[in-house]
Amino acid sequence: MVHFIIVNLMLIAGFLLLRENIETTFFNELVKQRPSNSDASKPRIKMFIYIQTLLFLAPLLFSITIKTTQRWVKTEAERKEAANIKLKSELQHLHYQLQPHFFFNSLNNIYALVDISPEQAKTSIHGLSKLMRYMLYDTNEETVSLSKEIDFMKKYIDLMKLRVTDKTKVTYNFPSEETGIKIAPLLFISLIENAFKHGVSATKESDINIQMTLDKKIVLFTIENDNLPKKTDDKSGSGIGLPNIEKRLELLYPNKSSFKTIVKDDRYIAQLEIEIN
């Protein structure tokens, strides 16, 4: 930019010097030959010089404006591209972070079945392979169809039901019709994981209720379970699920989502609402 201005200034200075030489050689000689009009001509000569100077400066200012605008547009495009690359990188990191977290928790659940019910453990491993296939191959896109995500959640719930006793009641209700809605993958699964991890008791009756409703472009997901938090020394899972959800919502649906959790009457309630474009 500085180089551009300097070159333009040098060109203008060159034109001004050339014009000054021409005026000195020819124009002033012409004025001398008409002495009676010399005094009256001087103001007009000065005005002529000012006008000529402005005419030389106008293209420079116009060029600078165009050059500055082009530079701003390029800088803004580069800034947006850098922000987009950063966003994709963060989302990819969160996605890769979620996969081993999910796999780790699922293996812990299956491990508990090996001694109690080997046949159910085999069934669980087969079911887990289907879930991992979805996570590895179908969730690499920015969005997936809501129907596929619902099918994934149903399979996971059925898999988790294999390891709970008859004292645990699990109910769920998802939209059954195909809506054509696209949504970021794996936003709800951590809430279901938490419900089975923190809402199930081996000795007491417990209840998990999962609901998803659609209102035009609003997806509302609500899950309720008994509030049975694990002890601080429990190492089954790393506790990254909820922070992962919050960060992904912040990046994917800024100002178009809400996520809240409350404990009411010994019931843990998580509610996630997303506005789909």
Side-chain angles (χ1 to χ4, degrees):
M1 186 65 180
V2 175
H3 183 264
F4 172 78
I5 295 174
I6 291 174
V7 170
N8 277 271
L9 288 174
M10 290 177 64
L11 289 173
I12 289 175
F15 280 120
L16 288 173
L17 288 173
L18 179 61
R19 190 194 62 184
E20 185 69 23
N21 290 330
I22 294 173
E23 288 180 352
T24 300
T25 305
F26 298 101
F27 188 70
N28 288 343
E29 290 297 326
L30 182 62
V31 171
K32 288 179 181 180
Q33 293 175 7
R34 302 174 62 185
S36 59
N37 297 329
S38 60
D39 293 337
S41 300
K42 287 182 179 179
R44 281 179 288 180
I45 294 171
K46 290 181 179 180
M47 181 60 67
F48 176 78
I49 293 173
Y50 292 150
I51 292 173
Q52 291 297 311
T53 302
L54 290 175
L55 289 176
F56 276 119
L57 287 175
L60 171 64
L61 295 175
F62 184 69
S63 299
I64 291 174
T65 302
I66 294 177
K67 193 72 174 180
T68 303
T69 302
Q70 290 176 338
R71 179 63 61 87
W72 180 84
V73 170
K74 182 180 179 182
T75 302
E76 187 67 13
E78 290 174 349
R79 185 190 67 79
K80 289 182 178 180
E81 180 65 19
N84 188 46
I85 291 173
K86 181 182 178 184
L87 173 63
K88 288 183 178 180
S89 178
E90 288 187 55
L91 287 172
Q92 189 177 53
H93 169 72
L94 291 169
H95 183 77
Y96 289 158
Q97 183 186 54
L98 186 61
Q99 286 181 348
H101 172 74
F102 172 85
F103 190 58
F104 179 77
N105 283 348
S106 299
L107 284 178
N108 273 338
N109 292 327
I110 294 172
Y111 177 77
L113 290 173
V114 172
D115 293 331
I116 301 173
S117 177
E119 288 302 317
Q120 282 191 340
K122 290 180 181 179
T123 303
S124 297
I125 292 172
H126 181 67
L128 179 60
S129 67
K130 293 181 179 180
L131 296 177
M132 292 306 299
R133 187 178 297 112
Y134 173 79
M135 293 189 73
L136 290 173
Y137 301 113
D138 294 345
T139 63
N140 289 324
E141 301 294 329
E142 292 183 3
T143 58
V144 296
S145 67
L146 183 60
S147 58
K148 280 189 176 183
E149 192 72 5
I150 289 173
D151 184 59
F152 169 72
M153 288 187 284
K154 286 180 178 179
K155 289 178 180 178
Y156 179 76
I157 293 169
D158 292 339
L159 176 63
M160 291 298 97
K161 285 169 67 175
L162 292 175
R163 64 173 291 270
V164 299
T165 66
D166 294 337
K167 292 183 179 181
T168 299
K169 181 182 178 183
V170 181
T171 57
Y172 58 82
N173 183 33
F174 292 100
S176 56
E177 69 279 3
E178 176 58 57
T179 62
I181 290 177
K182 296 279 190 176
I183 196 166
L186 308 176
L187 282 174
F188 311 104
I189 193 63
S190 292
L191 298 177
I192 300 176
E193 284 184 279
N194 279 356
F196 279 97
K197 179 181 176 183
H198 300 292
V200 174
S201 172
T203 58
K204 301 177 183 179
E205 291 188 354
S206 50
D207 176 70
I208 297 174
N209 182 262
I210 304 166
Q211 299 287 331
M212 176 181 282
T213 59
L214 300 178
D215 182 10
K216 295 181 180 178
K217 293 296 184 178
I218 302 296
V219 178
L220 179 61
F221 182 84
T222 305
I223 184 165
E224 297 184 20
N225 55 270
D226 294 295
N227 187 38
L228 303 169
K230 298 294 183 182
K231 297 179 181 179
T232 55
D233 59 349
D234 189 289
K235 301 301 181 182
S236 58
S238 56
I240 67 170
L242 297 187
N244 187 288
I245 292 175
E246 292 172 344
K247 185 62 176 177
R248 292 184 71 205
L249 288 174
E250 179 185 334
L251 296 173
L252 290 167
Y253 299 101
N255 303 318
K256 291 188 176 182
S257 63
S258 66
F259 176 56
K260 59 184 178 181
T261 60
I262 61 171
V263 177
K264 183 178 180 181
D265 299 328
D266 289 329
R267 295 279 290 172
Y268 183 88
I269 304 171
Q271 190 175 78
L272 174 55
E273 182 178 300
I274 301 174
E275 179 183 348
I276 307 299
N277 295 327

